[in-house]
Structures are given as structure tokens and as C-alpha cells.
């Protein structure tokens, strides 16, 4: 049993676009409702829960009946604006059904880098949690940019989720993905791939094993997950990378079962 996980009080859960979207680009309403059910029950158990949810652009594409992600930044930001509204509307309905209130937190990198705004962000999270509200976090894709002299993007929600753990002093980050852990080789290509149960340090050898990937509606890959794990390990916290296919897996993870890959220096 992973005893350190069982005792986690404040938990950040990150879900990727592929968890809440079907491969055909439609919104997976069943998964979104299941997520609300699971997180609501964790709240009922006395856990403090923070959700980092990707999917704004994916949901925006579905809402506008588009099959391809726009190429230009203004088009992407417009789609993100539409999708973020729809995403929060759906989450609000599902969480309300299970008796819990949500609050939206949209972040850009400059906000967390600048001391005053960083402190205000921390205070906002604390007040939401004190009031038993479930914060739902995403990057503010509508206004974030990445230029040589003006960087406001985190770049991916894997990194963002680790920064949220750091900001909120959470005990655990559970990263739910389309893969059930970190392997010594790509399990989608190699049947003899072996999953790591625990990783205590992100070495050059571990980084070399990572093969970056992306999907049609999301961004990121194993490299971004390892980057997030480095932030978590530096903060002396815990992170678990596991499959988001069956969201009830969160109950098993928090009961201490050896599921997915645990990143922990302790």
C-alpha cells in the first residue's frame, strides 16, 4: 500500500482533453458527469479537491461544429473563449447535481511569476477551499501569448497542474491521461514495455525514455508530464500518472493501491 497517498488531504486532479472528448471530437458527457460524481464523493469524504481541466479548445471546436483546430492565434483564442464558457457550464450542471459548487480560475504564467499577483492567486485558492468550493483551473488561452519579450503561456496543462500543486501546497497531483503510467518504452508500439511503479528522480536516462506525442485536440506528451513531475519532486510532494479511462480509478488510487506510476522522492 502507498501509505503516503492514503493520507493526502489536498489533491489536484488533472484531466486531459482526451479524457473528456471522444476521438471524433464530440464532448464525452458521460465522462464529465462521472468526473463530477467522483470528485464530489471525494469532497464528501473530507478531501480538498482542485481540478485542472484541459479541453477548452476541443469543446469550442465541438460547439462550433469544426473538425480542425484553427491555425492562427486569434482564431485559437476565439475558439478557446467559446469552449471555456461551454466547459464551465457543463461542469457547473454536473457538480450542482451532486451538491457541490465550483469556481473558475484562469491563469497565465505572468500572474504566477509576479509576487503580488501570485500571492493574490494563492489567497483566492485558499478562500475557495475554505468555502468548500471546487476550483476548476485552466490556462487563460483567450489572452495568453508566447513571444520573445512577453511570455504568458504555461504551454501545457501538465505543467500548470504541477504549479497549481505548488501554489496551493497540495499533497498530491493525480494526472489522468490516455496512458496508465510511465514505461521503459512506448507501450502502444512495444508489447514488452514495462511500467515503472515508482520514480524518485527525473534523471537523464528517464528523460531519454520519454517519447513526445500529441493528439488532434490536445497538446503535450510524456515530456511535459516529466517536466511536471520535476516540479512536484522539487516541492517534495507526490504525483501519480494513471489512466483516465475509468475515472473511478481515483478511489483506488487514494485507497493506496499500486496503480499507475508514482513520482515521489520520499
Amino acid at each position: 500500500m502507498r501509505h503516503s497517498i492514503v493520507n493526502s488531504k489536498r489533491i489536484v486532479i488533472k484531466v486531459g482533453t482526451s479524457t473528456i472528448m471522444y476521438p471524433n471530437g464530440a464532448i464525452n458527457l458521460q465522462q464529465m458527469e462521472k468526473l463530477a460524481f467522483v470528485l464530489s464523493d471525494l469532497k464528501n469524504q473530507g478531501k480538498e479537491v482542485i481540478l485542472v481541466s484541459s479541453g477548452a479548445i476541443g469543446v469550442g471546436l465541438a460547439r462550433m461544429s469544426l473538425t480542425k483546430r484553427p491555425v492562427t492565434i486569434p482564431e485559437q483564442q476565439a475558439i478557446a473563449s467559446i469552449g471555456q464558457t461551454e466547459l464551465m457550464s457543463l461542469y457547473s450542471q454536473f457538480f450542482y447535481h451532486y451538491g457541490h459548487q465550483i469556481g473558475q480560475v484562469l491563469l497565465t504564467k505572468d500572474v504566477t511569476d509576479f509576487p503580488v499577483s501570485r500571492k493574490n492567486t494563492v489567497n483566492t485558492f485558499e478562500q475557495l477551499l475554505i468555502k468548500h468550493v471546487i476550483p476548476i483551473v485552466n490556462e487563460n488561452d483567450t489572452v495568453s501569448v508566447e513571444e520573445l519579450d512577453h511570455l504568458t503561456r504555461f504551454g501545457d496543462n501538465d505543467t500548470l497542474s504541477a504549479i497549481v500543486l505548488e501554489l496551493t501546497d497540495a499533497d498530491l497531483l493525480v494526472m489522468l491521461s490516455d496512458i496508465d503510467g510511465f514505461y521503459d518504452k512506448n507501450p502502444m508500439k512495444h508489447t514488452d514495455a514495462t511500467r515503472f511503479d515508482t520514480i524518485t528522480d527525473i534523471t537523464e536516462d528517464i528523460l531519454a525514455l520519454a517519447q513526445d506525442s500529441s493528439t488532434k485536440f490536445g497538446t503535450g506528451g510524456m515530456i511535459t508530464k516529466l517536466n511536471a513531475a520535476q516540479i512536484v519532486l522539487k516541492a517534495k510532494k507526490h504525483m501519480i500518472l494513471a489512466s483516465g479511462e475509468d475515472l473511478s480509478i481515483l478511489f483506488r488510487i487514494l485507497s493506496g493501491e499500486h496503480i499507475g506510476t508514482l513520482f515521489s522522492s520520499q
Side-chain angles (χ1 to χ4, degrees):
M1 178 183 286
R2 295 171 172 172
H3 295 284
S4 57
I5 302 306
V6 175
N7 297 325
S8 297
K9 169 70 174 178
R10 182 172 292 184
I11 306 156
V12 178
I13 294 102
K14 186 265 177 180
V15 295
T17 303
S18 60
T19 300
I20 62 171
M21 301 289 296
Y22 287 111
N24 65 2
I27 303 168
N28 192 331
L29 298 173
Q30 181 177 238
Q31 278 283 75
M32 291 190 72
E33 181 169 19
K34 183 67 174 288
L35 181 62
F37 164 75
V38 172
L39 298 193
S40 293
D41 196 65
L42 292 178
K43 280 285 294 177
N44 292 346
Q45 293 175 29
K47 304 288 188 183
E48 293 180 330
V49 175
I50 302 165
L51 173 61
V52 177
S53 176
S54 301
I57 290 181
V59 172
L61 291 172
R63 187 70 179 86
M64 297 299 289
S65 301
L66 299 174
T67 58
K68 293 183 179 180
R69 187 186 181 105
V71 176
T72 70
I73 290 177
E75 286 179 301
Q76 291 179 14
Q77 291 177 323
I79 291 296
S81 174
I82 295 164
Q84 192 64 44
T85 302
E86 183 73 8
L87 190 65
M88 292 304 295
S89 176
L90 290 169
Y91 275 134
S92 182
Q93 293 178 58
F94 290 136
F95 277 100
Y96 180 79
H97 178 73
Y98 293 109
H100 288 283
Q101 179 64 46
I102 64 168
Q104 183 181 40
V105 181
L106 294 176
L107 296 175
T108 51
K109 192 174 186 299
D110 54 335
V111 168
T112 60
D113 286 345
F114 187 62
V116 174
S117 56
R118 181 185 179 92
K119 185 177 186 299
N120 288 337
T121 302
V122 170
N123 291 341
T124 298
F125 274 116
E126 287 299 323
Q127 283 302 309
L128 288 170
L129 294 171
I130 287 171
K131 298 178 187 303
H132 304 290
V133 174
I134 298 175
I136 299 185
V137 188
N138 197 359
E139 182 163 7
N140 194 349
D141 293 321
T142 303
V143 299
S144 61
V145 295
E146 185 173 353
E147 299 173 356
L148 290 176
D149 59 346
H150 189 58
L151 177 64
T152 65
R153 295 188 69 241
F154 293 101
D156 61 88
N157 274 358
D158 293 337
T159 301
L160 174 60
S161 64
I163 290 173
V164 169
L165 172 137
E166 189 180 38
L167 286 170
T168 60
D169 195 27
D171 305 303
L172 171 68
L173 166 60
V174 180
M175 194 173 292
L176 299 177
S177 179
D178 54 3
I179 192 168
D180 64 346
F182 185 74
Y183 285 76
D184 61 352
K185 59 185 74 172
N186 191 337
M188 298 178 184
K189 297 180 179 178
H190 304 277
T191 57
D192 62 339
T194 301
R195 178 172 57 83
F196 288 88
D197 179 78
T198 305
I199 293 176
T200 58
D201 186 24
I202 309 300
T203 63
E204 291 299 323
D205 289 338
I206 292 294
L207 287 170
L209 293 175
Q211 298 184 40
D212 213 0
S213 61
S214 62
T215 63
K216 181 179 179 182
F217 298 99
T219 59
M222 200 53 67
I223 291 293
T224 63
K225 290 166 178 56
L226 292 184
N227 290 340
Q230 287 181 313
I231 296 172
V232 173
L233 292 175
K234 185 178 179 181
K236 301 187 183 306
K237 304 291 186 175
H238 310 289
M239 169 179 144
I240 288 181
L241 174 62
S243 170
E245 183 177 359
D246 179 7
L247 293 168
S248 63
I249 198 174
L250 284 165
F251 295 132
R252 297 170 57 200
I253 288 172
L254 292 170
S255 69
E257 287 190 40
H258 284 253
I259 292 171
T261 299
L262 169 65
F263 295 85
S264 175
S265 59
Q266 301 176 29

